[in-house]
Each structure stands twice: as C-alpha cells, then as structure tokens.
Amino acid sequence: MSEQDHYFTAQPASPDERRLLAVHLAGREVQVETAGGIFSPDHVDLGTRVLLDHVPAPPAAGDLLDLGCGWGPIALTLALESPAATVWAVDVNERALDLTRRNAERLGATNLRAVRPDEVPADVLFAAIWSNPPIRVGKVALHAMLTQWLGRRAPGGEAHLVVGKNLGADSLQRWIATELGVTVDRTASAKGFRVLAVHDP
C-alpha cells in the first residue's frame, strides 16, 4: 500500500500496523498508540510541544477543543489536566480519531470525544481552543477552518494556536486580527514556532 493510500484510508488500520509510543504529556510519562498515515506518528511534533510548553492551564470546566487532533497529544493533555471539562478532539482522518479514542481509553480520559467536524453539536461553544492547525491544507481551506472554529469561542474563551514562523505565522496573526475582529497576541516564540493567543478585544 502506498503512503498516499495509507494516509487516506478511512477505516482504522489493521492491528499489526499499530505501535506503542512513550511520550510525556500533562506532566507524566504515558504510553500511547500510534500508526502511519496520520500527522507526526513517531513523536510529539515540535510545534505541538512548543504549544504545550507555553499555553496557560486550561479551564477546569466547559467545552475545550483540539482542532486537528492527530493521535491526540493536545486533546489528551486537555482531558488529563481538566477532568471536569468536555474535550472535543476534531479531525477529518478516521484513523487519527480511532487512535485518539483508544489513547483516551488507555489513559482513562473518559471526558474526551474524538469526532469529525460535523459531529460537534452546533450549539457547543468553547471555553478554550488549542490547535496546531494544518497549515499545509492551503490558505483558503485554513482561513475557512479558522473562521468557523475561532468564531465558536464562548464569551471570554481564548484560542491558542502554534504556527511555524516560516509557514506564515506573522501574516496569519495579522489576518486573524483583521478578518475576525479579535485581538491576537504572540505569547511565545521558540524553535521556529510562534504561539498565538486569540481573544476578544
């Protein structure tokens, strides 16, 4: 099977393609399940690690969103750090969603829901959004995605995004502020990545 076929397989991979990975999440060492055909299957992506190292503690309650969850490092961190919150892990890749569900079960994160974008109820507003957004989907798709989801912050809710400096972090910061009428602060810059905080003016 080619890597392209592998990546676009809608159904979960067969068991022998799964593997365990030791990672550091939410202040502890854990084992997660991963597989090929998803984003960063062999480690916690550097951008994701920069985000996790620089975001404030998540709200203790409410609905929290990981947009583009992959195998789940951000969503799992949210779920473990805020067990009274409901964490929505959103992705279009069915294999990624399956892995995130399995990893939540493995770590006892019963407050995590891994779903496709259209499976999030329309009335859910997010107290926090953490995301390493899929910049490489292209500007039009990315802008549509951010417009949709950043507009679903609850009153006072903040979004924290990590974007590579060489992938247009600074221009994206300006675009979000101008197009969405929000305040966007650069709260960290490390290892070639920017962390952007989006909140109401």
Side-chain angles (χ1 to χ4, degrees), residues 90-158:
V90 170
D91 208 298
V92 296
N93 185 321
E94 291 288 352
R95 182 177 299 158
L97 294 174
D98 182 63
L99 286 164
T100 299
R101 290 182 196 112
R102 288 171 178 264
N103 288 330
E105 185 176 0
R106 176 181 292 275
L107 302 184
T110 57
N111 57 327
L112 189 154
R113 301 177 185 180
V115 296
R116 298 190 309 271
D118 60 354
E119 293 178 311
V120 180
D123 60 347
V124 171
L125 299 178
F126 299 103
I129 299 171
W130 290 6
S131 179
N132 182 352
I135 299 298
R136 298 181 190 278
V137 298
K139 190 171 289 188
V140 173
L142 176 69
H143 286 178
M145 179 187 307
L146 292 177
T147 298
Q148 175 187 352
W149 293 100
L150 293 180
R152 293 183 63 174
R153 289 175 299 115
E158 278 197 343

Side-chain angles (χ1 to χ4, degrees), residues 16-150:
D16 62 337
E17 295 183 71
R18 302 299 175 98
R19 55 189 179 273
L20 291 178
L21 183 69
V23 294
H24 186 81
L25 295 177
R28 67 194 82 174
E29 299 298 324
V30 298
Q31 276 201 328
V32 295
E33 193 175 339
T34 183
I38 62 167
F39 178 69
S40 191
D42 299 318
H43 60 283
V44 176
D45 167 75
L46 182 57
T48 296
R49 177 54 63 196
V50 169
L51 177 72
L52 293 175
D53 286 347
H54 290 91
V55 287
D63 290 283
L64 314 179
L65 173 66
D66 171 12
L67 184 60
C69 64
W71 55 259
I74 293 173
L76 292 167
T77 298
L78 287 168
L80 293 171
E81 292 189 350
S82 297
T86 299
V87 177
W88 299 85
V90 170
D91 208 298
V92 296
N93 185 321
E94 291 288 352
R95 182 177 299 158
L97 294 174
D98 182 63
L99 286 164
T100 299
R101 290 182 196 112
R102 288 171 178 264
N103 288 330
E105 185 176 0
R106 176 181 292 275
L107 302 184
T110 57
N111 57 327
L112 189 154
R113 301 177 185 180
V115 296
R116 298 190 309 271
D118 60 354
E119 293 178 311
V120 180
D123 60 347
V124 171
L125 299 178
F126 299 103
I129 299 171
W130 290 6
S131 179
N132 182 352
I135 299 298
R136 298 181 190 278
V137 298
K139 190 171 289 188
V140 173
L142 176 69
H143 286 178
M145 179 187 307
L146 292 177
T147 298
Q148 175 187 352
W149 293 100
L150 293 180

